[in-house]
């Protein structure tokens, strides 16, 4: 009949390349990344954090953030939490709540308007997360911020300082500082 299909394209008499496999003990398997890999991962994590800071009003999910830096969603979440102390979603919500606090202090927007302005699509989730981070519901915060405007004046204060002064404190952190 003829030559085998794989050999039809080769010249007559040409030797087939042999696959050489190294023994299993020749490979170095390590669970720790090299210094270069760690630096590359940290640069990717900074890009993710910067994207969250820049695009917090957009619908962002961990899978999309991970695709943007060529990582799996699970790896991104683990590494982000190890580097920054919270998950990418937690960091995103903290940014959104910080911005919501600033908008609520202004007093000219409703809680619903603020919810959608900071990129949340569910008023219930927004209110729950806001209460978890700040300690009071957004409507109460808005009312208290209006009455306390005389006590803590941020007008004229550099924005970096005002952001630090008004940054939400997680309930766990608040409980720890109250004990001391």
């Amino acid at each position: 009949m003829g030559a085998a299909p794989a050999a039809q394209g080769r010249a007559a008499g040409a030797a087939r390349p042999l696959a050489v496999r190294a023994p299993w003990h020749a490979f170095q398997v390590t669970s720790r990344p090299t210094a270069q890999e760690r630096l590359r991962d940290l640069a990717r994590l900074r890009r993710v954090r910067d994207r969250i800071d820049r695009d917090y009003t957009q619908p962002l999910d961990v899978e999309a953030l991970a695709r943007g830096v060529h990582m799996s969603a699970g790896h991104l979440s683990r590494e982000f939490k190890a580097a920054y102390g919270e998950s990418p979603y937690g960091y995103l919500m903290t940014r959104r709540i910080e911005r919501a606090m600033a908008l609520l202090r202004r007093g000219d927007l409703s809680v619903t308007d603020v919810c959608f302005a900071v990129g949340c699509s569910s008023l219930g989730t927004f209110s729950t997360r806001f209460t978890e981070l700040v300690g009071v519901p957004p409507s109460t915060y808005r009312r208290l911020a209006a009455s306390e405007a005389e006590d803590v004046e941020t007008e004229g204060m550099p924005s970096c300082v005002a952001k630090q002064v008004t940054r939400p404190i997680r309930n766990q952190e608040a409980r720890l500082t109250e004990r001391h």
Side-chain angles (χ1 to χ4, degrees):
M1 290 264 251
Q8 286 178 353
R10 281 187 264 135
R16 222 175 146 178
L18 295 175
V20 178
R21 293 182 61 177
W24 66 270
H25 55 79
F27 295 103
Q28 181 180 4
V29 177
T30 179
S31 61
R32 293 186 184 160
T34 65
Q36 185 178 10
E37 290 170 334
R38 184 73 183 138
L39 288 174
R40 187 188 68 227
D41 280 352
L42 287 173
R44 289 175 173 176
L45 295 174
R46 278 194 304 271
R47 285 199 308 267
V48 169
R49 190 187 61 193
D50 291 346
R51 181 170 178 208
I52 291 171
D53 288 340
R54 184 181 59 247
D55 298 335
Y56 69 91
T57 60
Q58 304 302 313
L60 296 173
D61 58 61
V62 176
E63 289 80 17
L65 293 169
R67 271 193 310 272
V69 293
H70 309 290
M71 293 175 123
S72 72
H75 185 65
L76 172 64
S77 292
R78 282 188 303 276
E79 293 297 313
F80 196 95
K81 185 165 186 158
Y84 299 114
E86 61 185 327
S87 68
Y89 177 76
Y91 185 81
L92 170 64
M93 288 307 293
T94 301
R95 293 287 87 65
R96 286 178 173 171
I97 298 304
E98 284 178 355
R99 182 64 181 141
M101 290 172 68
L103 293 174
L104 289 169
R105 278 192 307 274
R106 279 187 4 198
D108 60 339
L109 295 173
S110 71
V111 172
T112 304
D113 292 339
V114 169
C115 167
F116 294 120
V118 298
C120 293
S121 57
S122 165
L123 182 58
T125 302
F126 169 74
S127 294
T128 300
R129 191 70 170 146
F130 190 98
T131 304
E132 286 173 0
L133 288 173
V134 180
V136 295
S139 55
T140 304
Y141 181 84
R142 183 175 184 247
R143 190 172 51 253
L144 291 173
S147 67
E148 293 177 358
E150 300 85 34
D151 295 342
V152 179
E153 185 62 44
T154 58
E155 193 170 322
M157 189 181 291
S159 61
C160 59
V161 175
K163 182 178 177 183
Q164 190 65 30
V165 169
T166 60
R167 186 162 195 218
I169 298 174
R170 297 182 187 288
N171 287 338
Q172 292 174 341
E173 293 172 358
R175 277 189 245 124
L176 289 175
T177 57
E178 289 172 1
R179 290 182 193 157
H180 296 289

